[in-house]
Amino acid sequence: MLTAFARAFKTPDLRKKLLFTLGIIVIYRVGTHIPIPGVDYGNVQTCIDNANANQGLFGLVNMFSGGALLQITIFALGIMPYITASIILQLLTVVIPRLEALKKEGQSGTAKITQYTRYLTVALAILQGTGLVATARTGALFQGCPVATEIVPDQSVFVTITMVITMTAGTATVMWLGELITDRGIGNGMSILMFISIAATFPSALWAIKTQGDLAGGWIEFGTVIAVGLVMVGLVVFVEQAQRRIPVQYAKRMIGRRSYGGTSTYIPLKVNQAGIIPVIFASSLLYIPALIAQFSGGNSGWKTWIEQNLTKGDHPIYITTYFVLIVFFAFFYVAISFNPEEVADNMKKYGGFIPGIRAGRPTAEYLGYVLNRITWPGSLYLGLIALVPTMALVGFGANQNFPFGGTSILIIVGVGLETVKQIESQLQQRNYEGFLR
């Protein structure tokens, strides 16, 4: 990885793209520390320093915003609305024929879907911003903080609308910055901003583990966490790179006096075909009951049961539900993102076939069989990785800000591998080192 970046800085064009990307990252990180109008920044810092400040229902969104959510800054919502909008559009593409037709139109259809994603991102930012402001005004954002209700001193309608508009504009700006990195930087802009947001929380979380540790001044706990993190990174890299390659043969076709085809290739089916999406789905779905219980009045039986079983990360019911949801969403997302019938039809259309398998329906059934077989270990792997922070809570007494959580490691490793691949491909286009070796 370091070699790829060193070679990239020696290439003038790539060096400009890398420096441009670094400039955008600096702007993004500066924005995560600018508070929005109407917020008492001193009270916010007091609540953040409180031991229970970061153990609310907004841990996932706070992680994706690089800690900006709990500080209620202009980039408080981060790229979470864009991620949610992208997932919703991707799911609707399977359900709505119009969106499916746009997806098949190529570049023009993709541009239209991207435009819809932007509109939906702004709408979700308004909803999430309103919810965040309402939560901050009631003091529910920082449970257990003595000045939680004084974070927003002026609770007038004008101040509330200003806060929501500011956070919505901040989300739109983050989306624009990500697209700038994609167009003029090294590419993969939204993923890079997500990478930076998560990596920015690592130093403070690691140092908190060191300062709160009891063995040898906290250095033993610190070293243990680093060792666990390295093992997890190695495991994630191994599984993310693992794939089942299904061989495909293309028959020769004569058009005039020229022959086409006669080549062999393969269909790469990754073990973790769904990526990080099932973990995000499961986390978001588990937040809904706890959020409803938090804002509902009274002490009904269902509210008490949810607060006892579905809000504590170390509770057996919470762990089991979280794991089952991840496995379910892994199969669900793979089913809607990979269509064996469509792949089999395209292969048959261009004269391709899998050796030993008849073209058409038998090929689709074979692809579906293989996909189900490799999705099982992939979904179980996702569930186990996502439960590492919970195991840390139970086994080491760590807090819920355990830095090497499954979600953060999956995103950081995935984005890092993808970024290095893009840099390597651009280097190969310029000096052909990849083809000469």
Side-chain angles (χ1 to χ4, degrees):
M1 182 174 180
L2 294 177
T3 305
F5 278 100
R7 286 163 48 203
F9 269 102
K10 295 178 181 179
T11 307
D13 188 22
L14 277 180
R15 183 168 61 245
K16 290 180 181 179
K17 290 184 177 182
L18 287 172
L19 292 177
F20 179 83
T21 302
L22 291 175
I24 296 295
I25 290 174
V26 170
I27 295 174
Y28 174 65
R29 288 305 301 163
V30 169
T32 57
H33 292 85
I34 301 176
I36 64 174
V39 173
D40 190 324
Y41 190 68
N43 289 336
V44 170
Q45 293 303 311
T46 300
C47 289
I48 289 178
D49 294 337
N50 189 280
N52 297 322
N54 290 330
Q55 298 181 12
L57 296 172
F58 303 94
L60 184 68
V61 183
N62 187 59
M63 182 185 69
F64 282 122
S65 65
L69 177 87
L70 293 180
Q71 297 188 26
I72 318 181
T73 65
I74 60 175
F75 291 166
L77 301 179
I79 59 174
M80 198 62 184
Y82 182 85
I83 296 173
T84 307
S86 300
I87 294 174
I88 291 175
L89 260 297
Q90 194 168 7
L91 295 177
L92 291 179
T93 302
V94 184
V95 180
I96 301 177
R98 169 61 179 164
L99 293 177
E100 187 176 2
L102 284 175
K103 185 179 179 180
K104 294 180 179 179
E105 288 181 4
Q107 188 174 359
S108 60
T110 304
K112 200 69 177 178
I113 294 178
T114 302
Q115 187 177 3
Y116 293 155
T117 305
R118 293 170 183 164
Y119 294 152
L120 185 58
T121 299
V122 174
L124 290 175
I126 294 174
L127 291 176
Q128 294 182 11
T130 304
L132 177 59
V133 172
T135 307
R137 289 174 56 178
T138 59
L141 183 62
F142 298 101
Q143 296 180 355
C145 179
V147 292
T149 56
E150 301 175 10
I151 290 176
V152 185
D154 187 355
Q155 300 189 2
S156 62
V157 176
F158 175 78
V159 172
T160 302
I161 293 176
T162 303
M163 294 172 68
V164 173
I165 291 176
T166 303
M167 282 190 286
T168 304
T171 299
T173 303
V174 171
M175 182 170 56
W176 176 62
L177 294 176
E179 292 180 354
L180 282 178
I181 295 177
T182 302
D183 296 336
R184 301 176 57 184
I186 59 177
N188 219 11
M190 294 298 175
S191 298
I192 289 178
L193 292 183
M194 192 191 312
F195 177 96
I196 296 300
S197 298
I198 297 173
T201 62
F202 274 24
S204 59
L206 288 171
W207 188 249
I209 289 176
K210 190 269 174 189
T211 55
Q212 295 172 8
D214 298 327
L215 302 176
W219 287 110
I220 294 180
E221 291 88 345
F222 182 84
T224 302
V225 170
I226 294 293
V228 171
L230 292 176
V231 171
M232 285 186 60
V233 169
L235 174 63
V236 171
V237 170
F238 177 77
V239 178
E240 290 296 321
Q241 297 287 79
Q243 57 182 222
R244 168 73 182 274
R245 296 181 176 183
I246 299 179
V248 177
Q249 200 85 20
Y250 284 92
K252 285 187 178 181
R253 294 181 300 168
M254 294 298 297
I255 301 178
R257 295 184 177 180
R258 295 185 178 182
S259 61
Y260 296 89
T263 59
S264 60
T265 181
Y266 60 87
I267 301 175
L269 295 179
K270 295 181 64 177
V271 173
N272 182 22
Q273 190 81 6
I276 192 64
I277 303 299
V279 180
I280 297 177
F281 275 9
S283 301
S284 302
L285 199 61
L286 272 179
Y287 281 148
I288 295 176
L291 196 61
I292 294 175
Q294 183 176 354
F295 287 101
S296 63
N299 293 314
S300 57
W302 65 269
K303 178 181 178 181
T304 304
W305 188 88
I306 288 176
E307 291 177 345
Q308 291 178 351
N309 301 302
L310 292 181
T311 58
K312 299 178 181 179
D314 56 350
H315 197 280
I317 295 180
Y318 181 94
I319 294 174
T320 304
T321 305
Y322 191 32
F323 184 83
V324 171
L325 283 175
I326 290 175
V327 174
F328 168 76
F329 280 122
F331 278 91
F332 174 76
Y333 187 77
V334 168
I336 66 173
S337 61
F338 186 91
N339 190 347
E341 287 81 9
E342 183 178 352
V343 175
D345 290 341
N346 290 334
M347 289 170 54
K348 185 177 181 180
K349 180 180 178 181
Y350 294 101
F353 63 93
I354 300 174
I357 307 294
R358 293 180 60 186
R361 185 173 182 81
T363 297
E365 292 177 351
Y366 176 76
L367 290 175
Y369 170 76
V370 173
L371 194 62
N372 286 332
R373 289 286 298 272
I374 66 173
T375 301
W376 270 113
S379 61
L380 296 177
Y381 145 81
L382 278 178
L384 292 175
I385 289 293
L387 288 176
V388 165
T390 304
M391 291 186 237
L393 283 169
V394 177
F396 300 102
N399 61 19
Q400 293 188 7
N401 276 337
F402 184 68
F404 292 105
T407 307
S408 57
I409 289 295
L410 285 169
I411 293 174
I412 284 182
V413 172
V415 175
L417 291 174
E418 185 64 27
T419 303
V420 171
K421 287 180 182 178
Q422 288 200 4
I423 294 176
E424 286 282 0
S425 65
Q426 295 186 38
L427 284 171
Q428 289 177 0
Q429 291 176 3
R430 287 163 174 79
N431 51 28
Y432 302 102
E433 286 187 8
F435 300 105
L436 294 176
R437 290 175 181 173

